[in-house]
Amino acid sequence: EADIYQTPRYLVIGTGKKITLECSQTMGHDKMYWYQQDPGMELHLIHYSYGVNSTEKGDLSSESTVSRIRTEHFPLTLESARPSHTSQYLCASSEYNTLLGTEAFFGQGTRLTVV
Amino acid sequence: KNQVEQSPQSLIILEGKNCTLQCNYTVSPFSNLRWYKQDTGRGPVSLTIMTFSENTKSNGRYTATLDADTKQSSLHITASQLSDSASYICVVSDRGSTLGRLYFGRGTQLTVWP
């Protein structure tokens, strides 16, 4: 099982609140990602990082922000949560193998509900 | 445009039966293709990975095939179990960038009935 952890697993929060979703990995991977996934739909990349102090926006526009101060930690923050932010958020990290190419490892996800 | 298409969108089978899931992709240049299993409310877990030179790879009751010429892959599940009920996601990686960009299919939702 992959060593990548997300907390909390479930979060119900009121509109307007600030929240931070935590993601940590102990594999020493430089590349980390945040995906958003609605029920029955595909994963959409919202943020990624090549390493410390490197963050980029993904394909899907998101009002969230990320930071990468330490290699193992890649938190995602919503300054003011809205019901439209209700979704599952998946964190991942990856390594490149010369034989197999890129392999991604996923956390268990955070199910966010904004009421 | 790099895309990954999966079919069927959903599938219901009886316990003990076999099934085959399909994945077509247009990702180029191709690096590898993975099948992931995602249980409801959890993160995807890798089942198999296939590189350009591989045609078939098995992992227990799961057998994946890859035809790099037609850009098609399949995942065959043998003797299905109730625990196989999940979403199966095809993920293709390119090798055109240092990021090793991942392209996700929408998944096939498999339900196994007793």
Side-chain angles (χ1 to χ4, degrees):
Chain A
E1 198 164 313
D3 296 320
I4 180 164
Y5 308 99
Q6 289 185 242
T7 58
R9 286 293 314 282
Y10 304 94
L11 179 61
V12 180
I13 199 164
T15 298
K17 297 294 185 182
K18 177 181 178 179
I19 59 170
T20 297
L21 308 185
E22 301 288 348
C23 177
S24 295
Q25 51 98 3
T26 58
M27 297 173 281
H29 293 166
D30 287 327
K31 299 187 178 83
M32 296 188 72
Y33 317 82
W34 276 102
Y35 292 89
Q36 185 174 340
Q37 184 183 33
D38 292 322
M41 302 297 288
E42 68 266 42
L43 282 75
H44 291 287
L45 181 67
I46 52 174
H47 297 284
Y48 61 93
S49 168
Y50 288 123
V52 172
N53 295 325
S54 157
T55 61
E56 301 287 344
K57 289 189 177 296
D59 303 319
L60 182 67
S61 176
S62 174
E63 294 167 344
S64 59
T65 59
V66 292
S67 63
R68 191 86 183 277
I69 299 173
R70 304 198 315 265
T71 297
E72 62 271 22
H73 196 212
F74 191 39
L76 180 145
T77 298
L78 275 166
E79 290 292 335
S80 180
R82 294 206 302 267
S84 61
H85 296 139
T86 295
S87 188
Q88 172 155 274
Y89 294 83
L90 286 161
C91 179
S93 70
S94 72
E95 62 180 1
Y96 181 78
N97 180 292
T98 53
L99 291 177
L100 301 177
T102 298
E103 178 169 12
F105 300 88
F106 288 87
Q108 295 280 31
T110 294
R111 169 67 66 183
L112 174 65
T113 302
V114 184
V115 297
Chain B
K1 182 180 178 182
N2 289 320
Q3 286 185 312
V4 178
E5 301 285 345
Q6 290 187 243
S7 63
Q9 184 176 356
S10 61
L11 181 63
I12 300 174
I13 61 173
L14 295 176
E15 186 179 14
K17 298 296 185 181
N18 304 333
C19 66
T20 300
L21 315 180
Q22 300 289 345
C23 174
N24 298 334
Y25 63 92
T26 59
V27 176
S28 181
F30 173 84
S31 176
N32 64 53
L33 183 148
R34 290 182 182 273
W35 284 93
Y36 283 84
K37 178 186 179 186
Q38 185 178 23
D39 293 314
T40 301
R42 303 180 80 87
V45 175
S46 179
L47 293 175
T48 66
I49 177 173
M50 303 190 72
T51 58
F52 186 86
S53 59
E54 296 176 298
N55 300 117
T56 303
K57 183 167 284 187
S58 293
N59 177 6
R61 294 180 297 104
Y62 302 103
T63 299
T65 66
L66 175 65
D67 186 333
D69 293 329
T70 62
K71 298 187 177 182
Q72 295 179 329
S73 176
S74 67
L75 180 69
H76 185 75
I77 304 175
T78 305
S80 61
Q81 300 175 358
L82 299 180
S83 59
D84 291 333
S85 294
S87 179
Y88 291 83
I89 305 171
C90 177
V91 182
V92 182
S93 174
D94 71 12
R95 52 182 172 84
S97 67
T98 56
L99 183 61
R101 180 67 188 269
L102 300 172
Y103 297 89
F104 290 82
R106 289 195 171 194
T108 292
Q109 183 65 48
L110 174 65
T111 303
V112 181
W113 283 1

